[in-house]
Amino acid sequence: MSGTESHGGETPAQALATAKLGIWTFLATEVLLFGGLFTCYIVFRLKYPELFYTEHLKLNRPLGLVNTVVLITSSLTMALGIAAMKQGLRRRATACISLTILLACGFLGVKYVEWSEDFSHGLYPGTNLFFSLYFMMTGLHGIHVVAGICALCWVLVLARRGRFSPEYSTPVEITGLYWHFVDLVWIYLFPLLYLVG
Amino acid sequence: MLNTSSTKAYRTYILVWLALLVLTVVTWLVSYVHLGMLNVTVAMLIASMKALLVALFFMHLRYENRLLWAFAIIPLGFLTLIIGGTLADVLLRD
Amino acid sequence: MPDDIAPSPPADRGYLTEKGFLSWACTLDHKRIGLLYLGTTLLFFLVGGVFALLLRMKLMYPGEELFSNKAYNVFFTLHGIMMIFLFIIPAIPSALGNFLIPLMIGARDVAFPRLNIFSYWIFLAGIIVILASLASPLDTGWTFYTPYSATTGAAVTVLSFGIFLVGMSSILTGLNFIVTIHRLRAPGLTWFRLPLFIWSMYATSIIQVLATPVVGITFLLLAAERIFGVGFFDPAKGGDPLLFQHFFWFYSHPVVYVMILPAMGIVSEILPVFARKPIFGYKGIAYSSLAIAFIGFLVWGHHMFVSGMSDVAGIIFSFLTFFVAVPTGVKVFNWIATLYRGSISLDAPMLYSLTFIFLFIIGGLTGPFLGALATNVHLHDTYFVVAHFHYTMMGGTVIGLFAGLHYWFPKMFGRMYSERRALTAWLLIFFGFNITFFSMFILGVQGMPRRWAEYPERFQPLHIASTAGSWFLALGTVLMFWNLFRSLFRGGPAQPDPWGSKTLEWRTGSPPPTHNFAEIPTVTEWPYGFGKKEKERE
Amino acid sequence: MPGFAATNNTVSGVAAQVDGVFLFITLVGLFFFVLTQGFLIYFALRYRRKKREEPAETPYITGSHWLETLWVVIPSLVVLAIFIYGYLVYRTIRTPPADAVEIQVTARQWLYQFTYPDGRTAVNEVRVEVGRPVKFLMKSADVIHGLYLPDFRVKMDILPGSYTYLWVQPEQVGKYEIYCTEYCGTGHSVMRAVMIVMNHEDYGRWVKQEEKPETLSLTKKGEKLTENSGCLACHSLDGTARVGPTLKGLFGKKVALADGKSVVADETYIRESILEPNAKLVQGFPPVMPTFQGVLKDEDITAIIAYIKTVK
Ligand code: HEA
Ligand code: HEA
Ligand code: CUA
Ligand SMILES: [Cu+2]
């Protein structure tokens, strides 16, 4: 994640390629980290289809939808931010990144509402396998969102200090790739948990 | 990589975003139609289309070299390995 | 002592010049980070070794002598955890890998130096958390099978977070190496001019990056099981205890190749140098590393043949298991062919390398006994397995590590060690090792189960033999470390290239300067160009 | 096992077959062992150079395609053969004959309870008839255990929540050990049982005797039950503390409990200790004793108590 330091007398373009290789390798590890949970999901869903069906109806679908839209939009603002940074439009870029952070916080806010609702209905991790999976999956994803927010804030600070230019915006791009990945995971979690159970 | 004609880049991003929104709504609507096992298939197909859009455009995979493609695809292969191996046991246990 | 060389320190201390705590704790220099890992992991080898000696002491008696069964269970758990997670997984990759990869590929450092020291800190943090779990000692075995690990009173939850951290460190190190090898090779250093150690480290890193996250999530789920009762592994809640085993072995089988591949890399470096011959079948050895890494991902179920897994899965896993033997065989045969018509000097690094091949073949050839379904049913969870994995891990990896330590010691510290003492230590280790662990094969075939604190009296004679062997082994190990340790301060100066090697790390000072090379070398040929072509010889 | 084992393989057909596979792999292994180690040691000595001697001139050999192909192809075929042989025997191991007697096994920390088809139960001891195939249908009441019959070369894990099975067809009268081979906690290594293989007449006599009311004296019966129910895995009769406190001199003694109180060990207390072990915990011992509710009948416990009274 923070592997943005490069060296060895490379050109900025080479350094960017190195950093990109680093982040994609990191994302590969993330795929397998979530992979464990997806495997659990598939195993138990095949074993207990009815349980998954009845339990998934207890989730708040509209909020899930809202959150999906929020996260997709944050991916858009991130992509726009990077494009702006590459053009040297610093104001626009920082605005986009701030917006991304805002949307990410919004996502967490909605999650907070959802989880409190679940708790108040007596639904906890451990209530049954579906809800265990639900909490573990959204929880792990949530941790990634928090990590993403931290990385974005760091990038924002650097951007404000004028550290980036059209030639050098490696940290922004790296954080962007991570952020899109977080979005990608949600793209699967949303239908799996909310829609088809 | 994205070059100087970046108004075009902005346009691409926004189009992708719109497509993602549309797909989200579609998958949402389809989930109310009862198709049995097909529901999962459709939902996963749509999710994978969305994922592809994000990876190709937002994550620039479209503009990257073969090495990066390999780095993106190989982990998915290993993901199928762990799922497949586990299912070979779980589904066939007597 | 005639062998002792007068204590005259090397003139140029290279990267070791700077002194002080911070110059180590916050260093970005891959060589220093490598040494930090080396010190830490060797410490845990010794601590784990002391636990091993305690295990062996207790096993001299069939009853509940010396200490309680509960204590025995704690000791073998700690022995396993320390040896696996704190010693052998990080030992060669993180320690020697860090030190050598940039030097061998002609780079000034790894791709992400900050990430590198950061992953060492995470490793330390993980160690501290793991040690904290000793407050309520673990008695689960290093495999942590549920439901026992989910219900025991020991501090499994704390430990889970510790393992998670150690795993993260391993992931980040692997990531760093992959990117380094892809991006920072010196000009002219094409893939097929790479030293074979680099190939093996590349394959190792792939495993670390793709398998370790799974053990991360497994231990998180185990912790969640204990904290929230999520029930994935708990049959009372509809979960499946075998799911834990699948996840655990999806990591822990490939990880045995994280242990052995780097050791194989070391041996592939040493053999040509000391036989003065080009390595035989370079491409075969290079590709077989990748093949082992890949096939290694397909066979995890061979640890679960009698676990209640489906028969079909058992058959598939057994079938695939055998095909690891093929690329491994390619390596073994190629090494032996390298010796043919060589001019072999049996210095310590070479002696340990040959010992590696000797012992690893025994360990490896006992793999098919375990991989074949019928015999596995009999041998599973007996001392046959214990013997198998000590032959591969201690006889293989650790001996390979010793070979590497003797080979690169002059490069690391700019000093030589006493050759004579190294050979005495080798003698003790070799015989001690075989007495200790060969007895275990026989015990296993006779049905002695592992993880048993007490046992039927008929097994006692072989256990006594094994225990006696372990003392020679310990003596040899201590002597070997003592030899290297005292040479840190009293060894004579080493030349930049004392063995006449051709890889890039020998083309700079011993010890190397902070940025490795005064000028980045340009590579024009592979590093194993020993010997003369037929037509040149005329 | 071939050569150096303390056990023989005529106890069952499966054991002989497993040993066949073992022998086959041993021969293959030995071949490759001698081949590789032989060349390794031969080359190392033959081409050795003396210390500090200048290296002799060596040929520049970098590989040989046909040799390398050879040692890819031959091992591949060999391992395929090992796999197939191992698989064929495994199929026998996993396929119980249809007429096998089904004996239920419940494993718990740290004992096995066997239930015969007619409902009789026994702890840590199972009796079978020679020549009759037996299928153990196993489940665990707590963590994972194993059931291993080394003489018969078979083992299987015992899982909580689902059944696993194992079958044997003993061909020789005798006493055979059963070991727990999946680590299950403190008492793992004392979790052992015996399988007693009897000939037809003895078996019939034993079944009859079990059905008839006990002719032994109460304390004798108690002694037998204490031995057979697994008590001695955790309790000694000679005063040493093992997993649990000793039974020597227990009766009438004042026992210090974990909650600071104390109690006199009378009939009520001992009965309670057996049926609800965690109701009153003895100081200094972990709460690991399993309940014998449903395992031991009321009169069994009476007999055990009578026996404990005599252990002084
Ligand atoms: C460095 C570590 C290491 C290595 C390299 C290996 C290598 C192999 N291992 Fe081992 N293994 C362990 C460490 C290792 N193992 C550990 C730690 C455990 C126990 C874990 C626990 O339960 O605590 C274990 C357990 C284990 C089991 C499970 C046993 C059980 O619990 O029931 C099995 C079963 O298949 C197995 C098989 C193999 C095989 C087939 C290989 C192969 O890779 C070996 C290949 C090598 C050769 C075969 C020799 C050289 C080849 C030739 C000379 C060519 C000719 C050969 C033939 C034609 C056969 N191992
Ligand atoms: C890298 C891995 C590794 C290594 C090197 C070793 C090394 C040794 N191991 Fe172990 N072992 C395991 C990994 C390893 N082990 C694992 C994973 C298990 C399974 C655990 C489980 O079941 O969960 C196991 C289990 C295991 C058992 C089985 C326990 C059981 O099932 O009941 C035994 C029994 O003899 C044993 C013995 C030994 C011995 C004698 C050594 C010797 O080779 C050790 C040699 C080293 C020394 C003797 C150190 C010398 C140091 C000193 C004497 C101190 C000096 C001190 C200072 C200078 C400060 N090990
Ligand atoms: Cu029961 Cu081990
Ligand atoms: Cu394995």
Side-chain angles (χ1 to χ4, degrees):
Chain A
M1 245 177 308
S2 52
T4 50
E5 167 96 359
S6 197
H7 71 100
E10 298 175 298
T11 65
Q14 282 172 328
L16 175 65
T18 304
K20 266 194 188 162
L21 210 56
I23 189 74
W24 276 98
T25 313
F26 182 75
L27 296 183
T29 75
E30 294 277 36
V31 169
L32 281 136
L33 184 73
F34 280 100
L37 283 171
F38 282 116
T39 312
C40 283
Y41 178 93
I42 294 173
V43 166
F44 292 129
R45 200 194 126 88
L46 289 172
K47 233 173 161 180
Y48 310 108
E50 313 83 34
L51 174 88
F52 274 58
Y53 183 74
T54 51
E55 294 301 306
H56 98 282
L57 294 177
K58 295 182 185 162
L59 293 181
N60 193 331
R61 277 197 192 191
L63 284 186
L65 180 71
V66 169
N67 250 355
T68 310
V69 172
V70 167
L71 215 54
I72 288 178
T73 311
S74 80
S75 246
L76 172 72
T77 54
M78 189 71 227
L80 293 178
I82 296 171
M85 195 61 91
K86 293 203 137 179
Q87 283 182 301
L89 303 173
R90 221 175 81 206
R91 294 275 299 277
R92 190 192 280 182
T94 48
C96 281
I97 295 172
S98 312
L99 204 59
T100 312
I101 296 176
L102 221 63
L103 287 165
C105 292
F107 178 88
L108 286 182
V110 174
K111 263 280 63 94
Y112 175 77
V113 173
E114 272 189 84
W115 277 28
S116 348
E117 203 179 289
D118 296 334
F119 292 153
S120 69
H121 289 118
L123 301 169
Y124 297 101
T127 301
N128 58 42
L129 283 176
F130 178 81
F131 272 96
S132 293
L133 271 169
Y134 165 76
F135 281 108
M136 292 306 288
M137 290 175 122
T138 54
L140 189 66
H141 181 259
I143 292 174
H144 279 76
V145 174
V146 173
I149 291 178
C150 296
L152 285 167
C153 288
W154 169 68
V155 165
L156 189 63
V157 169
L158 291 187
R160 287 284 193 79
R161 290 202 196 137
R163 288 290 175 79
F164 304 127
S165 62
E167 289 77 41
Y168 173 73
S169 60
T170 306
V172 195
E173 289 201 43
I174 298 308
T175 312
L177 282 169
Y178 174 77
W179 187 249
H180 295 311
F181 176 81
V182 173
D183 184 22
L184 254 176
V185 173
W186 184 257
I187 284 178
Y188 281 96
L189 289 186
F190 170 61
L192 283 179
L193 293 172
Y194 291 80
L195 299 184
V196 295
Chain B
M1 184 91 349
L2 294 181
N3 46 23
T4 38
S5 64
S6 34
T7 36
K8 207 169 132 215
Y10 291 131
R11 243 215 349 259
T12 320
Y13 286 150
I14 289 172
L15 283 177
V16 169
W17 175 67
L18 285 174
L20 288 171
L21 289 186
V22 170
L23 285 172
T24 306
V25 173
V26 170
T27 183
W28 157 271
L29 290 178
V30 169
S31 76
Y32 285 98
V33 188
H34 277 279
L35 299 169
M37 258 327 254
L38 263 181
N39 269 109
V40 191
T41 322
V42 171
M44 284 303 96
L45 272 180
I46 296 181
S48 299
M49 276 161 66
K50 289 162 72 178
L52 209 60
L53 284 176
V54 171
L56 286 181
F57 295 99
F58 285 171
M59 298 174 91
H60 301 183
L61 209 48
R62 217 180 140 219
Y63 313 96
E64 302 290 2
N65 55 19
R66 292 228 310 272
L67 182 65
L68 231 57
W69 273 85
F71 274 52
I73 289 170
I74 286 172
L76 301 179
F78 283 85
L79 183 61
T80 25
L81 271 184
I82 183 171
I83 294 175
T86 310
L87 288 184
D89 167 22
V90 175
L91 292 185
L92 300 172
R93 228 181 275 164
D94 41 36
Chain C
M1 292 209 169
D3 241 18
D4 268 7
I5 310 154
S8 64
D12 183 4
R13 307 261 310 135
Y15 74 104
L16 294 168
T17 310
E18 204 181 336
K19 291 224 160 59
F21 175 75
L22 281 185
S23 79
W24 285 91
C26 297
T27 180
L28 295 182
D29 185 344
H30 67 99
K31 299 182 287 304
R32 285 179 170 234
I33 297 173
L35 288 194
L36 287 173
Y37 273 114
L38 190 65
T40 319
T41 51
L42 289 183
L43 179 70
F44 282 101
F45 173 64
L46 291 177
V47 180
V50 172
F51 280 119
L53 293 178
L54 287 170
L55 294 178
R56 288 291 354 142
M57 297 277 273
K58 165 123 183 166
L59 288 172
M60 280 201 295
Y61 307 100
E64 190 165 10
E65 273 93 3
L66 294 184
F67 43 83
S68 71
N69 294 358
K70 168 106 186 164
Y72 179 86
N73 297 344
V74 169
F75 288 166
F76 77 65
T77 304
L78 292 179
H79 169 66
I81 293 177
M82 288 186 175
M83 285 298 193
I84 299 275
F85 292 111
L86 304 187
F87 164 58
I88 200 168
I89 293 177
I92 304 187
S94 300
L96 291 189
N98 248 318
F99 191 93
L100 291 168
I101 289 176
L103 281 167
M104 279 186 157
I105 65 172
R108 299 215 180 275
D109 207 323
V110 292
F112 310 117
R114 281 181 205 203
L115 195 64
N116 204 11
I117 186 69
F118 180 62
S119 65
Y120 178 73
W121 292 337
I122 300 181
F123 180 57
L124 270 193
I127 291 177
I128 291 168
V129 175
I130 289 176
L131 293 182
S133 74
L134 292 184
S136 163
L138 295 157
D139 64 342
T140 58
W142 83 280
T143 48
F144 297 93
Y145 277 12
T146 52
Y148 186 70
S149 62
T151 49
T152 173
V156 177
T157 315
V158 180
L159 176 105
S160 298
F161 291 111
I163 302 272
F164 187 84
L165 288 174
V166 171
M168 205 155 131
S169 153
S170 175
I171 292 176
L172 295 179
T173 305
L175 183 158
N176 221 332
F177 291 168
I178 290 183
V179 179
T180 306
I181 295 171
H182 267 288
R183 301 283 316 166
L184 300 185
R185 279 170 285 130
L189 191 53
T190 57
W191 282 92
F192 289 113
R193 285 178 187 164
L194 281 178
L196 288 165
F197 181 71
I198 302 293
W199 273 99
S200 75
M201 280 307 306
Y202 186 74
T204 306
S205 304
I206 292 178
I207 306 176
Q208 283 180 296
V209 161
L210 291 176
T212 319
V214 176
V215 84
I217 192 73
T218 310
F219 277 92
L220 283 188
L221 291 179
L222 181 56
E225 186 92 35
R226 291 176 64 91
I227 301 170
F228 305 117
V230 291
F232 297 156
F233 308 134
D234 180 1
K237 291 203 166 111
D240 181 355
L242 292 192
L243 200 56
F244 176 87
Q245 298 181 20
H246 279 294
F247 287 180
F248 182 83
W249 291 116
F250 182 84
Y251 166 75
S252 295
H253 180 79
V255 97
V256 308
Y257 302 114
V258 167
M259 307 169 192
I260 203 72
L261 282 172
M264 292 170 157
I266 291 176
V267 170
S268 310
E269 291 305 323
I270 293 177
L271 287 181
V273 172
F274 289 82
R276 312 309 300 170
K277 274 267 317 287
I279 189 89
F280 188 91
Y282 173 93
K283 280 198 181 174
I285 296 184
Y287 282 137
S288 65
S289 291
L290 295 179
I292 292 172
F294 177 68
I295 304 173
F297 274 96
L298 305 174
V299 307
W300 76 85
H302 68 209
H303 296 269
M304 299 168 62
F305 290 149
V306 301
S307 68
M309 178 173 72
S310 80
D311 286 346
V312 178
I315 291 161
I316 299 173
F317 282 124
S318 169
F319 178 77
L320 294 168
T321 293
F322 285 106
F323 288 93
V324 189
V326 176
T328 317
V330 168
K331 278 190 197 287
V332 170
F333 295 126
N334 284 358
W335 289 328
I336 293 174
T338 302
L339 300 179
Y340 171 67
R341 290 177 66 194
S343 175
I344 299 168
S345 73
L346 294 181
D347 293 320
M350 186 64 166
L351 201 55
Y352 280 105
S353 296
L354 296 176
T355 311
F356 167 93
I357 302 178
F358 182 88
L359 297 178
F360 175 73
I361 288 178
I362 301 179
L365 283 176
T366 51
F369 289 90
L370 297 169
L373 286 159
T375 38
N376 181 280
V377 171
H378 175 46
L379 298 172
H380 170 76
D381 264 4
T382 65
Y383 264 71
F384 194 91
V385 179
V386 178
H388 158 72
F389 68 70
H390 282 93
Y391 262 90
T392 48
M393 294 200 295
M394 176 76 197
T397 307
V398 177
I399 297 291
L401 172 68
F402 289 175
L405 281 181
H406 284 92
Y407 181 55
W408 283 296
F409 188 87
K411 178 55 58 184
M412 289 177 154
F413 303 107
R415 294 182 188 255
M416 289 304 289
Y417 46 81
S418 151
E419 180 75 19
R420 223 194 42 162
R421 227 179 264 125
L423 297 187
T424 318
W426 170 83
L427 206 69
L428 284 166
I429 292 176
F430 183 76
F431 286 100
F433 177 87
N434 282 298
I435 297 169
T436 311
F437 294 109
F438 202 84
S439 340
M440 292 189 189
F441 281 123
I442 306 172
L443 280 170
V445 172
Q446 293 179 344
M448 166 79 204
R450 64 188 279 207
R451 295 174 172 171
W452 266 31
E454 295 179 38
Y455 54 85
E457 249 158 59
R458 67 189 165 99
F459 296 124
Q460 194 179 14
L462 282 167
H463 270 305
I464 290 179
S466 173
T467 303
S470 73
W471 294 332
F472 289 100
L473 180 55
L475 207 65
T477 311
V478 170
L479 183 61
M480 193 215 76
F481 279 118
W482 169 242
N483 182 28
L484 293 184
F485 184 73
R486 88 189 277 288
S487 308
L488 284 182
F489 308 101
R490 313 219 20 202
Q495 304 307 312
D497 185 6
W499 315 114
S501 321
K502 301 199 176 209
T503 35
L504 290 181
E505 78 270 26
W506 305 102
R507 283 214 223 154
T508 182
S510 292
T514 299
H515 288 294
N516 294 352
F517 300 97
E519 195 179 327
I520 295 288
T522 302
V523 180
T524 53
E525 57 166 10
W526 73 328
Y528 304 111
F530 302 101
K532 277 220 173 100
K533 299 194 173 78
E534 291 297 335
K535 49 180 176 320
E536 287 171 23
R537 302 168 110 211
E538 259 101 67
Chain D
M1 287 255 126
F4 42 68
T7 51
N8 71 48
N9 67 14
T10 49
V11 295
S12 77
V14 165
Q17 288 188 37
V18 173
D19 283 5
V21 182
F22 192 94
L23 189 66
F24 176 64
I25 307 177
T26 308
L27 290 178
V28 170
L30 224 53
F31 169 75
F32 282 104
F33 179 82
V34 172
L35 185 80
T36 51
Q37 311 288 37
F39 277 115
L40 180 74
I41 295 168
Y42 173 70
F43 287 163
L45 297 178
R46 165 78 176 71
Y47 300 114
R48 190 168 168 201
R49 111 175 88 104
K50 294 266 144 17
K51 279 274 145 59
R52 317 260 181 272
E53 198 177 88
E54 273 307 299
E57 204 163 79
T58 57
Y60 189 80
I61 305 172
T62 58
S64 151
H65 279 297
W66 73 268
L67 265 179
E68 288 189 72
T69 316
L70 193 72
W71 56 58
V72 167
V73 172
I74 292 184
S76 299
L77 296 177
V78 169
V79 291
L80 203 64
I82 299 179
F83 163 73
I84 292 172
Y85 192 7
Y87 160 68
L88 290 175
V89 173
Y90 180 71
R91 226 171 37 178
T92 321
I93 297 178
R94 294 291 298 159
T95 321
D99 61 341
V101 183
E102 220 166 72
I103 295 179
Q104 307 262 344
V105 182
T106 308
R108 62 172 54 142
Q109 287 165 326
W110 290 285
L111 53 87
Y112 299 94
Q113 186 191 340
F114 297 93
T115 310
Y116 294 95
D118 59 7
R120 277 176 300 122
T121 65
V123 173
N124 287 353
E125 183 195 280
V126 58
R127 288 170 188 260
V128 299
E129 227 181 314
V130 73
R132 274 287 283 285
V134 191
K135 177 178 170 187
F136 296 113
L137 199 58
M138 314 186 289
K139 76 173 199 314
S140 163
D142 38 50
V143 301
I144 303 180
H145 299 275
L147 191 147
Y148 177 32
L149 277 153
D151 299 280
F152 293 84
R153 320 284 193 261
V154 288
K155 74 162 68 69
M156 190 69 205
D157 281 4
I158 308 178
L159 301 173
S162 54
Y163 283 92
T164 52
Y165 68 88
L166 182 79
W167 77 275
V168 284
Q169 181 168 349
E171 302 292 0
Q172 247 174 41
V173 172
K175 260 185 151 186
Y176 301 98
E177 288 173 294
I178 292 177
Y179 301 152
C180 177
T181 43
E182 195 55 76
Y183 177 69
C184 53
T186 312
H188 170 54
S189 61
V190 291
M191 184 161 167
R192 303 178 208 169
V194 283
M195 180 167 91
I196 300 173
V197 180
M198 307 165 96
N199 63 32
H200 188 68
E201 297 81 57
D202 288 348
Y203 188 76
R205 219 171 294 137
W206 171 74
V207 172
K208 280 223 190 65
Q209 187 205 348
E210 287 286 301
E211 280 162 357
K212 268 202 297 205
E214 210 37 76
T215 46
L216 296 168
S217 74
L218 197 62
T219 44
K220 262 274 174 287
K221 184 181 169 199
E223 181 174 3
K224 231 186 83 194
L225 279 164
T226 313
E227 259 167 37
N228 295 346
S229 310
C231 314
L232 300 185
C234 302
H235 298 285
S236 77
L237 300 173
D238 61 1
T240 51
R242 291 170 62 95
V243 178
T246 180
L247 297 179
K248 186 179 174 191
L250 171 63
F251 191 81
K253 198 175 74 180
K254 213 167 159 191
V255 178
L257 298 180
D259 56 11
K261 296 195 191 104
S262 68
V263 59
V264 173
D266 55 7
E267 283 91 348
T268 325
Y269 168 74
I270 295 180
R271 182 174 293 270
E272 188 191 58
S273 292
I274 298 171
L275 292 176
E276 283 177 64
N278 292 347
K280 295 196 181 76
L281 286 179
V282 184
Q283 191 172 22
F285 290 92
V288 291
M289 174 163 159
T291 171
F292 285 81
Q293 189 100 47
V295 178
L296 293 171
K297 291 189 281 288
D298 212 45
E299 59 266 29
D300 292 344
I301 296 176
T302 312
I304 290 178
I305 296 174
Y307 171 64
I308 290 180
K309 283 184 189 169
T310 68
V311 189
K312 295 248 162 58

